[in-house]
Amino acid sequence: MANKNTVNLRIPSGAGKIIRIVVLLVILMLLAGNSTYTISEQEQAVITTFGTASSVSTPGLHFKIPFIQQVTLVDTTIKGFSIGYNQATGESVEDESLMITSDYNFVNVDFFVEYKVSDPIKALYASEDPINILKNISQSCIRAIVGSYPVDSVITTGKNEIQSAIKSQIMLRLEERDIGISLVSLSIQDAEPPTTEVMEAFKAVETAKQGKDTALNNANKYSNEKLPEAEAKVDQILKEAEAQKETRINEAKGQVARFNALYKEYVKYPLITKQRMFFEAMEEVMPDLKIIIDNSESGTQKILPLQPFTEETDKQ
């Protein structure tokens, strides 16, 4: 005899088929949804199959093996970050912007760095945070290059040269690290002394430099005016000196000629020449003195300077 409390539940055969069809449709839908992916114009896809990565860069709809292949989309558009200031608020970040120049001056310099993904696989797997690595490399190169220039070049005339040097240095460092990121551009946004006092001092330096330039220009003008006059005087002095030189040389030559002629006479007649030289010397020493030469008695010449003494006696 059957138990009256037992409930006999039976699923109709038609309902079981419906359930199986629904489950199969759900599975098919999941497989279909997990077997396709779409790449836009500014993206690339990195596909991983059993740990092996490959990349796809063609835009459009693509297929993959469901649950076996994993797809990671990588944005390849140009992006950027700031160094030295907050890009969102514009406020200065002194730890990044404050630098020291080659002439030991402080300066605040703001930069903006633009980059893009050049190798999606390396960008995903070569390092944990490639953007942070790029920023650290950029800050290192910026401080090294800015520190090799004087403050005048950093603030005024040397910006383009500094930007080019920093960009080249960053690109070399990125090539060594090979992290799948490439530098697009780097630009100085602003460069100024760090405080108001320093800015005033810098302006004073610039004013002093302008004064220096004015003084140099005035000095050059004075030099251009006076130099021809001085050169003319120098030329005149040189000509006069040359003329005196020729005169002295000619006088010396004449004296040498006279001495040589006298020496020839002396060799021939030494005694007579000595006497003549003595008389000529006496005439030069005492030009107003009258001399009487007495050679009458013993053959010895006597010189008698009589007139000056007799004149003095007559005056008395």
Side-chain angles (χ1 to χ4, degrees), residues 262-281:
L262 183 61
Y263 181 71
K264 289 180 181 180
E265 293 296 325
Y266 175 79
V267 172
K268 293 179 181 179
Y269 310 102
L271 182 58
I272 295 174
T273 305
K274 285 182 181 180
Q275 290 176 351
R276 185 163 64 91
M277 291 174 63
F278 175 76
F279 295 150
E280 291 176 355

Side-chain angles (χ1 to χ4, degrees), residues 1 4-5 8 15 44 60 89 96 106 118 138 145 174 178 213 228-229 236 238 243 273 283 295-296 306 313:
M1 185 174 176
K4 295 181 180 181
N5 295 327
N8 189 7
Q44 289 190 31
T89 62
E96 296 178 354
F106 288 99
S118 57
S138 300
I145 299 300
L174 284 177
D178 196 17
D213 293 338
E229 181 181 350
Q236 181 181 356
L238 289 175
T273 305
E283 288 179 357
N295 194 20
S296 60
L306 300 176
T313 305

